[in-house]
Amino acid sequence: MADPNPTHTEICGATPDRIEVRGRDLVHELVGKLTFTQMFLFHLLGRDPTPMQTAITDAVLVCIMEHGLVPSTVAARLTWLGAPDSYQGAVAAGLLGVGDRFAGTASRCAELLDRIVARPAAERESEARALVEALRRERKPVPGFGHPTHKGADPRVPRLIEIARGQGASGEYLAALTLLAAAIERTLGRPLPMNVSAAIAAVVREAQLPAQAVRGLILTARCAGIVGHLLEESERPAAQAMWEAAEREVPYRAPSA
Amino acid sequence: MADPNPTHTEICGATPDRIEVRGRDLVHELVGKLTFTQMFLFHLLGRDPTPMQTAITDAVLVCIMEHGLVPSTVAARLTWLGAPDSYQGAVAAGLLGVGDRFAGTASRCAELLDRIVARPAAERESEARALVEALRRERKPVPGFGHPTHKGADPRVPRLIEIARGQGASGEYLAALTLLAAAIERTLGRPLPMNVSAAIAAVVREAQLPAQAVRGLILTARCAGIVGHLLEESERPAAQAMWEAAEREVPYRAPSA
Amino acid sequence: MADPNPTHTEICGATPDRIEVRGRDLVHELVGKLTFTQMFLFHLLGRDPTPMQTAITDAVLVCIMEHGLVPSTVAARLTWLGAPDSYQGAVAAGLLGVGDRFAGTASRCAELLDRIVARPAAERESEARALVEALRRERKPVPGFGHPTHKGADPRVPRLIEIARGQGASGEYLAALTLLAAAIERTLGRPLPMNVSAAIAAVVREAQLPAQAVRGLILTARCAGIVGHLLEESERPAAQAMWEAAEREVPYRAPSA
Amino acid sequence: MADPNPTHTEICGATPDRIEVRGRDLVHELVGKLTFTQMFLFHLLGRDPTPMQTAITDAVLVCIMEHGLVPSTVAARLTWLGAPDSYQGAVAAGLLGVGDRFAGTASRCAELLDRIVARPAAERESEARALVEALRRERKPVPGFGHPTHKGADPRVPRLIEIARGQGASGEYLAALTLLAAAIERTLGRPLPMNVSAAIAAVVREAQLPAQAVRGLILTARCAGIVGHLLEESERPAAQAMWEAAEREVPYRAPSA
């Protein structure tokens, strides 16, 4: 029988005295019973998360909430300096800078891992090599490898992997990540360090969270970090000084005619 | 002695092999040890949160993560429809609608509660009345009272209050909220229901979180909710149908000359 | 008779072979016949702008399109650095910083001028004084006066006024602005320079454009300016250097325990 | 000799009594002398635009300022409904939806035209066919062809082309666009209508504006259109009705367990 109402949402419905989220009573079944992270996973998955999913997600969210005065936190503070009337505008401006270059690489790395794991075990090594070589031909970086600050080894990487293993992860995606690293070393003739995006991609997929959720986790963690920066900005203003330093660094010069 | 470097940040510093957040080693002291909510509070407060602070914050974040197809989630989905190339743009657009009207009232309600609690006990009732009357003179609504959907009583309100009391909250801000409700009833001649913003304001202040953090908590919880809506949108697209319904609802009519 | 369709739009309707904007055929009556500025004013006003309205609007838009590496253009460039995948995100981040502090003061100045002009001529001087004194009591700045860079006299102010006078403006709002400046000098005991926001407010109201449109003109002009900055950023990258300068300026210091 | 200051900007520098934009005195050489469009082009190009460049840019900006209640204008109005405290936030939310799907296709179409024109005349037809076939193999649409509303022929297309020809355009990019349309018809076995993005791409390149500027022109024109929608929203509110229609259209249904 045809669906009489093909377009609908299964997330949330509210009546005057009840708010239902994915079939549960928000007030009586969720509030006070779930942590933020458990609720976030329940919202995404539509079922109670496993302890492993919760532990890995908490570790990922804690890991990437904060990385200091990166472009997105500087942009958030500068936006608040110009528009102190709009707190949400400053947060939004900060999140707009969480794109492909810094944090968004994790979701693309997760896609590579998925393609490797989709192959039978015997073909995964050659799939990893094929993926790296294809990116190299297009002169694109391999998402998840190399970092401007942590040039040697990003200390967050082994910690996230350790947590995933400690939670009993099957290790399939971690193995795929190792294949990817080996393929890079073979193709480039030298190893490149994994950055935190690669580790996030692997442990999120170990936790069987959808690859698409990676960007969402990162944005939510960074949202919390930006909130902390704005609180510090209100207590110890730094945006004006950062702006003036940026302006001094890039002086105006009239174009030569 | 004068501060040799007056502008600095105390949030986070990164060196090639260490990321330090508020004096702690991120990788070894925080990741895998704190939940998201504990880390968020540590980030905001600069010290370990108490169990009461964590429990209240989790309850608040769970409570407001989701309220269905409100303007901000509709805006996020429509933005993604127009710009599927920018996930963070869709999230940012959703957060931009989390302003004074729907969710932002909580921070203003917290300010009212602070002003009541700042008075000696004997003067709090009259302070509450003075605040309500001042708003009424300016024809402004009292933040935290009245709700378009939950006209009778918002079911989230007693639950949040119950959780705060169960955590051993002192009750000062909850009492101030009761004074505010009574002042409204006396001034208007009829009671107005508290909405979830009022309860959030009271329990956040019971937890001794800064009033300014209220907006940040709300934005972060809503960020997670928007992420869930975008995941559903990718699995069960609804934005096109919502757009067309909105367009049909508001037809074009040539202006009369 | 009751309106059978109370909610409608009078801006634009499209059918497969015709796009109608405010009653005109877009393709045959507007494209190729109006400049951008004339179309913008027709869109806002619903009627052909006068030559004075067009000339003043062009002057205002040209005047504020560009002011160098201000917080909003720096934020736009930093956002693009972090998210090169989203051009519109970088533009949006830049516009989010065009708020009350830098550019948004013009609309609030226009409201002050409206309140002065709403009085009979004999009462305008005392109205200006009352407005300034009320702001001073609340320790709020008078919108449109004082500027961090142009401390003496903002060179854009006399030029905009000159253009408005040259277009035959009645001068009522310019006179109100002079009353405001005099009230400030009397109240503070010293003059404060008008900044460009004050001049914009006065000439926009001389052109009989709605006060609310002021913010819209500013955002649109700044949008064009940000577009130019992103083009330069793609040709002569500066965001990385600005970020590093900002980060150096505000070093991390562990909080004292 | 090495550049002593490699990072600089050539756009704008301000001193207390002078604002210089690309080597010109803003106040005395630009304000009151250039229209918005001329200034925008001078800002982008660093030199005075030709009459053809100005005429084509004005036509493009007028053409795309407005297309009714499309997702981005609906998102802007909904955002303002939720956050009436932030005008710039509503405008930014609207612009965030101006991405690849609706308006951003023009810049990608311009890139195709550039690749065709880069070939010697005798090879352009086969280049057009190769480009279309490559897109078809990747199951990607050809940017600039097909439109949900204007299924037959977009009336804006011939008008923009007519204006470009009337301004003495060389016709190289218009010819490339015709080759692209022919290649589509041959590959698909049926013609697809050009939409306005294709025409914009061609005429902007005829005007020798950089392909990257296309997105910037579109965002700026749409910014003006959104400003008009917010002005109407303040006079004749429609966002609440649009929200409720969208919510009714997509009801909540509890997921089946």
Side-chain angles (χ1 to χ4, degrees):
Chain A
M1 205 183 78
D3 188 335
N5 182 12
T7 307
H8 67 281
T9 177
E10 296 187 358
I11 292 181
C12 178
T15 58
D17 56 5
R18 180 181 164 93
I19 298 164
E20 188 174 309
V21 177
R22 291 189 165 282
R24 300 261 179 89
D25 183 308
L26 172 67
V27 166
H28 299 102
E29 296 180 69
L30 303 171
V31 174
K33 302 203 169 149
L34 303 188
T35 66
F36 170 84
T37 303
Q38 290 169 326
M39 176 69 176
F40 192 4
L41 290 170
F42 171 67
H43 191 294
L44 291 176
L45 303 171
R47 59 179 181 276
D48 287 315
T50 64
M52 178 177 85
Q53 289 177 320
T54 302
I56 287 179
T57 304
D58 267 323
V60 167
L61 293 171
V62 168
C63 205
I64 56 182
M65 190 182 289
E66 188 49 52
H67 203 270
L69 292 169
V70 293
S72 68
T73 48
V74 177
R77 287 175 180 240
L78 289 177
T79 302
W80 210 26
L81 178 70
D85 47 311
S86 174
Y87 184 91
Q88 71 269 23
V91 172
L95 291 180
L96 287 170
V98 182
D100 278 3
R101 179 147 169 195
F102 285 96
T105 49
S107 64
R108 287 182 295 122
C109 184
E111 289 162 15
L112 295 186
L113 300 181
D114 280 0
R115 290 179 62 174
I116 295 171
V117 171
R119 293 302 185 99
E123 298 172 18
R124 290 181 184 174
E125 189 178 344
S126 59
E127 176 71 11
R129 217 175 312 147
L131 290 169
V132 169
E133 283 164 7
L135 286 167
R136 197 172 152 76
R137 270 195 304 277
E138 299 176 59
R139 288 156 190 264
K140 288 184 181 165
V142 183
F145 289 82
H147 192 282
T149 305
H150 307 289
K151 286 187 201 301
D154 188 321
R156 294 169 291 183
V157 172
R159 182 72 179 120
L160 285 179
I161 292 175
E162 176 191 30
I163 286 166
R165 290 209 192 281
Q167 290 290 326
S170 78
E172 261 196 311
Y173 294 89
L174 295 170
L177 186 56
T178 305
L179 291 176
L180 209 53
I184 289 169
E185 183 164 1
R186 175 190 287 251
T187 306
L188 265 66
R190 65 186 166 87
L192 268 187
M194 286 179 203
N195 62 40
V196 72
S197 297
I200 290 169
V203 303
V204 161
R205 296 298 293 127
E206 288 289 344
Q208 294 174 27
L209 303 179
Q212 195 206 317
V214 174
R215 272 186 181 269
L217 297 185
I218 293 174
L219 285 167
T220 304
R222 301 295 296 149
C223 183
I226 292 166
V227 164
H229 277 273
L230 295 180
L231 186 61
E232 186 181 66
E233 182 69 28
S234 73
E235 295 166 348
R236 191 184 302 115
Q240 180 85 22
M242 289 195 288
W243 166 35
E244 289 170 6
E247 210 186 9
R248 273 194 311 272
E249 182 74 12
V250 182
Y252 169 68
R253 248 198 252 169
S256 45
Chain B
M1 208 183 80
D3 189 336
N5 182 9
T7 308
H8 66 281
T9 176
E10 296 188 357
I11 292 181
C12 177
T15 58
D17 55 4
R18 180 183 164 93
I19 298 164
E20 187 175 309
V21 177
R22 290 190 165 281
R24 301 258 181 90
D25 182 308
L26 172 67
V27 166
H28 299 103
E29 297 180 69
L30 303 171
V31 175
K33 302 203 169 148
L34 303 188
T35 66
F36 170 84
T37 303
Q38 289 169 327
M39 176 70 177
F40 192 4
L41 290 170
F42 172 66
H43 192 294
L44 291 176
L45 303 171
R47 59 179 181 276
D48 288 315
T50 65
M52 179 178 84
Q53 289 177 320
T54 302
I56 287 179
T57 303
D58 267 323
V60 166
L61 292 171
V62 168
C63 204
I64 56 183
M65 189 182 290
E66 189 49 52
H67 203 270
L69 292 170
V70 293
S72 68
T73 49
V74 177
R77 287 176 180 241
L78 290 176
T79 301
W80 211 26
L81 179 70
D85 47 311
S86 175
Y87 183 92
Q88 70 269 22
V91 173
L95 290 181
L96 287 170
V98 182
D100 278 3
R101 179 146 170 196
F102 286 96
T105 48
S107 64
R108 286 183 295 121
C109 183
E111 289 161 15
L112 295 186
L113 299 181
D114 280 0
R115 290 179 62 173
I116 295 171
V117 171
R119 292 300 186 101
E123 299 173 17
R124 289 179 184 175
E125 188 180 343
S126 60
E127 176 70 11
R129 216 175 313 148
L131 290 169
V132 170
E133 283 164 6
L135 287 167
R136 196 173 152 76
R137 269 195 305 276
E138 299 177 57
R139 288 155 190 265
K140 288 184 181 163
V142 184
F145 288 82
H147 193 283
T149 305
H150 308 289
K151 287 189 200 299
D154 187 322
R156 295 169 290 183
V157 172
R159 183 71 179 120
L160 284 179
I161 292 174
E162 176 190 30
I163 287 166
R165 291 209 191 281
Q167 290 291 328
S170 77
E172 262 196 311
Y173 294 89
L174 295 169
L177 187 57
T178 305
L179 291 176
L180 209 52
I184 290 170
E185 183 164 1
R186 175 189 287 251
T187 306
L188 265 66
R190 66 188 166 86
L192 269 187
M194 286 179 203
N195 61 40
V196 72
S197 297
I200 290 169
V203 303
V204 161
R205 297 298 294 127
E206 289 288 344
Q208 294 176 26
L209 303 179
Q212 195 206 316
V214 174
R215 272 184 181 268
L217 297 186
I218 293 173
L219 284 167
T220 304
R222 302 295 296 150
C223 182
I226 292 166
V227 164
H229 277 273
L230 295 180
L231 186 61
E232 186 181 67
E233 182 69 27
S234 73
E235 295 166 350
R236 191 183 300 116
Q240 181 85 22
M242 289 196 287
W243 166 35
E244 288 170 5
E247 211 186 8
R248 274 195 309 273
E249 182 75 13
V250 182
Y252 171 67
R253 248 199 251 169
S256 45
Chain C
M1 207 183 77
D3 187 335
N5 182 9
T7 307
H8 67 280
T9 176
E10 296 188 358
I11 292 181
C12 177
T15 58
D17 56 4
R18 180 182 164 93
I19 299 164
E20 188 174 309
V21 177
R22 291 191 164 281
R24 302 259 179 90
D25 182 308
L26 172 67
V27 166
H28 298 104
E29 296 180 71
L30 303 171
V31 175
K33 302 204 170 147
L34 303 189
T35 66
F36 169 85
T37 303
Q38 289 169 327
M39 176 70 176
F40 192 4
L41 290 170
F42 171 66
H43 192 293
L44 291 176
L45 304 171
R47 59 178 180 277
D48 287 316
T50 64
M52 178 178 83
Q53 289 176 320
T54 302
I56 287 179
T57 303
D58 266 324
V60 166
L61 293 171
V62 168
C63 204
I64 56 183
M65 189 182 291
E66 187 49 53
H67 203 269
L69 292 170
V70 294
S72 69
T73 48
V74 177
R77 288 176 179 239
L78 290 177
T79 301
W80 211 28
L81 179 70
D85 46 310
S86 175
Y87 184 91
Q88 71 269 24
V91 172
L95 291 181
L96 287 170
V98 182
D100 277 4
R101 180 147 168 194
F102 286 96
T105 47
S107 64
R108 286 181 297 122
C109 184
E111 288 162 16
L112 295 186
L113 300 181
D114 280 359
R115 290 180 62 176
I116 295 170
V117 171
R119 292 303 186 98
E123 298 172 19
R124 290 179 183 176
E125 188 178 345
S126 60
E127 176 69 12
R129 217 177 311 147
L131 290 169
V132 169
E133 283 163 6
L135 287 167
R136 195 172 153 75
R137 269 194 305 277
E138 300 176 58
R139 289 155 189 265
K140 288 184 180 162
V142 184
F145 288 81
H147 193 282
T149 304
H150 308 288
K151 286 188 200 301
D154 187 323
R156 295 170 291 184
V157 172
R159 183 70 179 119
L160 285 179
I161 293 174
E162 175 191 32
I163 287 166
R165 292 210 190 281
Q167 290 290 328
S170 78
E172 261 196 311
Y173 294 89
L174 295 170
L177 186 57
T178 306
L179 291 176
L180 209 52
I184 290 170
E185 182 164 1
R186 173 191 288 252
T187 306
L188 265 66
R190 66 189 166 86
L192 268 187
M194 284 178 204
N195 62 40
V196 72
S197 296
I200 290 169
V203 302
V204 161
R205 297 298 294 128
E206 288 289 343
Q208 293 176 27
L209 303 179
Q212 196 206 315
V214 174
R215 271 185 182 269
L217 297 185
I218 293 174
L219 284 167
T220 304
R222 300 295 294 150
C223 182
I226 292 166
V227 164
H229 277 273
L230 294 180
L231 187 60
E232 185 181 67
E233 183 68 27
S234 72
E235 295 165 350
R236 191 184 301 116
Q240 180 85 23
M242 289 196 286
W243 166 35
E244 289 170 5
E247 211 186 8
R248 274 194 310 273
E249 182 75 12
V250 182
Y252 169 67
R253 246 198 253 169
S256 45
Chain D
M1 206 184 77
D3 188 335
N5 182 11
T7 309
H8 67 280
T9 176
E10 296 188 357
I11 292 182
C12 177
T15 57
D17 56 4
R18 179 180 165 94
I19 298 164
E20 188 174 308
V21 177
R22 289 190 166 281
R24 301 259 180 89
D25 182 308
L26 171 67
V27 166
H28 299 104
E29 297 180 70
L30 303 171
V31 174
K33 303 205 168 146
L34 303 189
T35 66
F36 169 84
T37 303
Q38 290 169 325
M39 176 69 176
F40 192 4
L41 291 170
F42 171 66
H43 191 293
L44 292 176
L45 303 171
R47 60 180 179 275
D48 287 314
T50 65
M52 178 179 84
Q53 289 176 320
T54 303
I56 287 180
T57 303
D58 266 324
V60 167
L61 293 171
V62 168
C63 204
I64 56 183
M65 189 182 290
E66 187 50 53
H67 202 270
L69 292 170
V70 293
S72 69
T73 48
V74 177
R77 287 176 180 239
L78 289 177
T79 302
W80 211 26
L81 178 70
D85 45 311
S86 174
Y87 183 92
Q88 72 268 24
V91 172
L95 291 180
L96 287 170
V98 182
D100 277 4
R101 180 148 169 193
F102 285 96
T105 49
S107 65
R108 286 183 295 123
C109 184
E111 288 162 16
L112 295 186
L113 300 181
D114 280 0
R115 289 179 62 174
I116 295 171
V117 170
R119 294 301 186 99
E123 299 172 17
R124 289 180 184 174
E125 188 178 345
S126 60
E127 175 70 12
R129 218 177 310 149
L131 290 170
V132 169
E133 284 164 6
L135 286 167
R136 195 172 153 75
R137 270 196 304 277
E138 301 177 58
R139 288 154 190 266
K140 288 184 182 165
V142 184
F145 289 81
H147 193 284
T149 304
H150 308 290
K151 286 187 203 298
D154 187 323
R156 294 169 291 184
V157 172
R159 183 72 179 117
L160 284 179
I161 292 174
E162 174 190 32
I163 287 166
R165 290 208 192 282
Q167 290 291 328
S170 78
E172 261 196 312
Y173 295 88
L174 294 169
L177 186 57
T178 305
L179 291 176
L180 209 54
I184 290 170
E185 182 162 4
R186 173 190 288 251
T187 306
L188 265 65
R190 65 186 167 86
L192 269 187
M194 284 178 204
N195 63 40
V196 72
S197 296
I200 291 169
V203 303
V204 161
R205 296 297 294 126
E206 288 289 344
Q208 294 175 26
L209 303 180
Q212 195 206 317
V214 174
R215 273 185 180 268
L217 297 184
I218 292 174
L219 284 167
T220 304
R222 301 295 294 152
C223 182
I226 292 166
V227 163
H229 277 272
L230 294 180
L231 186 60
E232 185 181 66
E233 182 69 28
S234 73
E235 294 166 350
R236 191 184 302 115
Q240 180 84 23
M242 289 196 287
W243 167 35
E244 289 170 5
E247 210 186 8
R248 272 194 312 271
E249 182 75 11
V250 182
Y252 170 67
R253 247 198 253 170
S256 46

